[in-house]
């Protein structure tokens, strides 16, 4: 099984069997990562460059670990210190790096569409580690693997995604993936944090947590992404927590065995109560981090198989 595409830019172009195959491969990497000796050979001899134009803790660390565990030479570019600050464009930076013959380029950028643009200019495989509010495909894939392992399946589940949907690439990629595998998605949050055109997304929308969580199998919480807000979207943090923060009482409206997820970084007492986040019977937040490394290993492994099978050419 391989990916049809050279790059992993989003969930949108993926076919359901590609998603399932990637998750199956990731399952085998979960086993590898739990061993004392964690090394594979899938990326041996390949060069991976991580370019993060936005802050990241878990995504950057897990892409780095994933590459190293599979034998790649991994370089983290410090984008704060790069020539971008001297006026070089994103494309010129990409072309410069491309001339050094990397095989895998992992890119996070604040602008939606920037990673796809860059992918058109280089000869290596590009992985989108989050572009603006557009897509974050490896996050949706690691969430899918976490759900599949916790629930034993990844279809006909009811998943609530709660909070700041409007600014969230995590929500967008998750909605696309969950729909492809025939799950029901509910979005819960204040109307000010719902994206325009939500009526066309094929989701149910709620502005009341208790009503929206009724009968849900999965409760996914999101951070208020203030860095993407250009005005007052919520009256106050206190008020927001009161209405939309996940606590034990609100969670009691979901299924008795519903799992709680959060992509991180988490703001305790804003979108989630700390005791819920730490409750090992309900919260799978640490599993999400573990699955993140395995899913990124699988994604880079599949793209590397493509690289080896096809000659290099500039796609644009
Ligand atoms: C998310 C992101 O960067 O989109 N975090 C992540 O990748 N784990 C969500 C967020 O920043 O709130």
């Amino acid at each position: 099984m391989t990916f049809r595409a050279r790059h992993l830019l989003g969930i949108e172009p993926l076919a359901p069997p590609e998603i399932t195959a990637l998750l199956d491969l990731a399952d085998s990497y979960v086993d590898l990562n739990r061993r004392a000796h964690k090394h594979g050979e899938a990326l041996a001899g390949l060069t991976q460059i991580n370019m993060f134009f936005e802050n990241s803790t878990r995504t950057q660390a897990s892409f780095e670990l994933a590459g190293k565990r599979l034998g790649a030479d991994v370089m983290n570019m410090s984008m704060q210190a790069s020539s971008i600050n001297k006026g070089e464009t994103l494309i010129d930076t990409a072309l410069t790096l491309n001339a050094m013959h990397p095989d895998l380029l992992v890119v996070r950028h604040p602008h939606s569409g920037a990673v796809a643009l860059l992918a058109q200019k280089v000869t290596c495989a590009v992985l989108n580690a989050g572009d603006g509010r557009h897509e974050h495909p490896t996050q949706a894939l690691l969430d899918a693997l976490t759900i599949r392992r916790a629930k034993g399946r990844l279809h006909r589940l009811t998943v609530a995604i709660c909070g700041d949907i409007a600014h969230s690439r995590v929500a967008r990629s998750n909605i696309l993936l969950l729909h492809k595998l025939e799950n029901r998605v509910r979005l819960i949050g204040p109307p000010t944090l719902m994206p325009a055109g939500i009526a066309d997304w094929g989701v149910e929308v709620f502005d009341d947590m208790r009503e929206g969580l009724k009968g849900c199998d999965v409760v996914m919480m999101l951070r208020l992404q203030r860095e993407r807000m250009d005005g007052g979207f919520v009256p106050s943090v206190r008020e927001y927590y009161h209405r939309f923060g996940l606590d034990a009482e609100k969670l009691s409206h979901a299924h008795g065995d519903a799992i709680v997820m959060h992509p991180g970084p988490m703001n305790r007492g804003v979108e989630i109560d700390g005791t819920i986040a730490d409750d090992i019977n309900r919260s799978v937040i640490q599993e999400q981090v573990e699955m993140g490394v395995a899913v990124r290993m699988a994604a880079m492994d599949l793209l590397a198989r493509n690289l080896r099978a096809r000659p290099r050419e500039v796609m644009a």
Side-chain angles (χ1 to χ4, degrees):
M1 175 72 200
T2 50
F3 269 179
R4 288 170 305 172
R6 175 183 288 261
H7 309 293
L8 178 59
L9 298 177
I11 296 298
E12 196 154 29
L14 295 182
E18 290 180 296
I19 295 172
T20 305
L22 186 144
L23 299 183
D24 292 346
L25 182 59
D27 262 329
S28 72
Y29 283 131
V30 175
D31 296 339
L32 178 69
N33 288 336
R34 288 181 180 179
R35 289 196 212 133
H37 182 88
K38 299 173 177 55
H39 281 279
E41 294 291 316
L43 304 180
L46 301 184
T47 300
Q48 171 191 339
I49 301 182
N50 297 334
M51 293 168 78
F52 279 68
F53 295 90
E54 256 186 17
N55 295 339
S56 170
T57 311
R58 33 279 55 235
T59 307
Q60 182 163 352
S62 64
F63 265 114
E64 182 176 353
L65 264 185
K68 287 183 170 163
R69 287 194 180 156
L70 292 181
D73 294 314
V74 185
M75 185 175 88
N76 289 310
M77 290 282 295
S78 162
M79 298 322 294
Q80 276 81 7
S82 81
S83 290
I84 292 271
N85 291 334
K86 297 181 187 164
E88 188 173 69
T89 66
L90 170 67
I91 300 302
D92 282 330
T93 304
L95 290 176
T96 302
L97 288 176
N98 191 54
M100 299 180 198
H101 296 290
D103 302 284
L104 298 152
L105 212 49
V106 179
V107 188
R108 168 171 285 193
H109 198 278
H111 296 153
S112 305
V115 182
L117 180 71
L118 188 148
Q120 292 174 5
K121 307 290 179 193
V122 297
T123 48
C124 56
V126 176
L127 292 104
N128 182 3
D131 65 322
R133 53 181 87 174
H134 176 231
E135 279 234 42
H136 190 353
T138 56
Q139 179 70 44
L141 289 161
L142 77 85
D143 289 338
L145 184 61
T146 308
I147 295 171
R148 194 172 81 167
R149 290 171 68 103
K151 292 277 147 202
R153 69 178 200 276
L154 190 56
H155 59 274
R156 290 208 267 139
L157 294 168
T158 302
V159 180
I161 306 179
C162 314
D164 183 2
I165 315 287
H167 301 99
S168 177
R169 53 197 175 208
V170 175
R172 232 185 88 80
S173 289
N174 263 298
I175 294 165
L176 289 166
L177 190 156
L178 291 165
H179 276 164
K180 278 177 196 274
L181 298 181
E182 290 167 18
N183 297 283
R184 286 175 62 178
V185 180
R186 295 184 189 166
L187 304 182
I188 314 174
T192 47
L193 293 178
M194 288 295 160
I198 194 74
D200 305 327
W201 287 26
V203 293
E204 291 174 271
V205 180
F206 297 84
D207 66 359
D208 181 272
M209 286 286 276
R210 290 167 188 86
E211 209 187 308
L213 288 181
K214 231 172 259 167
C216 281
D217 303 296
V218 177
V219 184
M220 198 181 283
M221 302 309 299
L222 298 173
R223 183 176 65 90
L224 287 175
Q225 289 152 84
R226 292 170 199 281
E227 71 276 21
R228 283 189 250 287
M229 294 183 192
D230 50 12
F233 282 78
V234 290
S236 74
V237 164
R238 225 183 125 109
E239 163 82 3
Y240 182 81
Y241 180 68
H242 177 68
R243 290 196 56 205
F244 298 102
L246 187 68
D247 56 19
E249 191 280 317
K250 294 191 191 86
L251 181 60
S252 71
H253 294 261
H255 261 164
D257 62 356
I259 55 169
V260 174
M261 307 179 73
H262 195 306
M266 178 162 68
N267 289 309
R268 291 166 187 259
V270 181
E271 71 271 9
I272 190 165
D273 174 21
T275 47
I276 295 288
D278 297 334
D279 179 352
I280 53 166
N281 296 314
R282 307 305 293 271
S283 163
V284 293
I285 295 170
Q286 296 308 320
E287 279 85 343
Q288 286 174 272
V289 178
E290 181 185 8
M291 296 309 124
V293 180
V295 153
R296 286 162 183 136
M297 289 164 87
M300 291 196 288
D301 178 350
L302 287 174
L303 292 178
R305 294 180 200 190
N306 268 357
L307 282 177
R308 292 193 164 108
R310 291 188 210 164
R312 292 177 173 232
E313 70 222 12
V314 180
M315 304 295 278

